[in-house]
Amino acid sequence: PAALSPPVSTGSMAYHSAFKEEDAAAFACGCAVLPIKTSCRGPAPSLAADKEDIIDEVLFYFKANVLFRNFEVRGPADRLLVYLTLYVTECLKKIESAPSRADATKSLTNMALELFTIPGDANFALAPYFPAPENKQEADFVRGYFRQLREETGRRLLDKCYIEGETKVPSKWWTSFSKRRFMNKAI
């Protein structure tokens, strides 16, 4: 999408992804594999620094979307939007409890790289929204893609939560959303 802007009203108040199926390089477990701006290693295609990506969209719409208990998934990019919105909530909990930006960075990096559930796992919180992988290769690809998304999302969230030059106290305008449960779920 050219720029992030409010969607045209279609009966749902939540913000949906502006990325369409043709924006995806591929599909895995029902979600779009979209290019992202990142220096993190992983399978996602790279995107020019001046373009908007799914992580920008998640962070832009987070404060509005996290207030909703219901979200209608309208396409493969919406699945990523839902997953990353829930991940941002978990990140905010870590940031809120960290005594400094350095500790928050360490916590988010560890959380991004730890073993986490993916579609097809028995306790994956978003199982109704994601089809299971068809084979081990798809499962490995999704795990690598989600890990890359998680790591880059954490990095960008830290930049939003800590005002330039501030290393001790995160922005209350972000951490106040750590107690919200988007779709009444947690990952």
Side-chain angles (χ1 to χ4, degrees):
L4 299 174
S5 60
V8 177
S9 178
T10 58
S12 172
M13 295 300 292
Y15 291 95
H16 293 273
S17 179
F19 290 96
K20 304 296 177 220
E21 288 190 28
E22 56 270 9
D23 296 326
F27 299 93
C29 291
C31 67
V33 178
L34 297 167
I36 58 173
K37 303 177 290 193
T38 186
S39 59
C40 304
R41 290 179 27 180
S46 61
L47 186 67
D50 62 332
K51 305 270 188 187
E52 300 290 332
D53 66 7
I54 188 69
I55 297 170
D56 292 326
E57 193 173 60
V58 166
L59 294 175
F60 184 77
Y61 292 138
F62 175 78
K63 292 178 184 178
N65 277 348
V66 78
L67 301 174
F68 290 94
R69 296 220 181 257
N70 298 313
F71 187 90
E72 176 189 356
V73 174
R74 294 185 181 161
D78 275 352
R79 288 185 178 92
L80 282 181
L81 188 81
V82 168
Y83 180 81
L84 289 175
T85 299
L86 291 172
Y87 182 70
V88 167
T89 303
E90 295 303 311
C91 289
L92 289 172
K93 290 175 187 174
K94 297 278 188 187
I95 289 170
E96 189 175 44
S97 65
S100 68
R101 181 179 176 141
D103 291 327
T105 301
K106 185 186 289 185
S107 291
L108 293 189
T109 301
N110 289 339
M111 187 168 72
L113 299 177
E114 72 188 8
L115 188 61
F116 54 89
T117 59
I118 61 169
D121 290 347
N123 54 350
F124 183 62
L126 298 171
Y129 303 98
F130 287 82
E134 293 180 12
N135 52 46
K136 185 174 176 359
Q137 290 81 12
E138 186 178 12
D140 291 343
F141 179 85
V142 167
R143 187 171 305 281
Y145 182 53
F146 280 13
R147 181 174 289 122
Q148 186 179 16
L149 288 169
R150 289 162 63 104
E151 194 172 353
E152 183 61 30
T153 301
R155 287 181 184 183
R156 293 196 209 167
L157 183 61
L158 283 167
D159 290 339
K160 291 205 176 283
C161 286
Y162 289 92
I163 300 164
E164 190 173 323
E166 179 61 58
T167 58
K168 296 283 184 207
V169 182
S171 167
K172 68 180 179 182
W173 305 112
W174 277 93
T175 57
S176 63
F177 288 92
S178 67
K179 292 167 184 59
R180 291 291 189 166
R181 288 180 53 100
F182 177 56
M183 297 173 56
N184 206 23
K185 297 197 180 293
I187 56 171

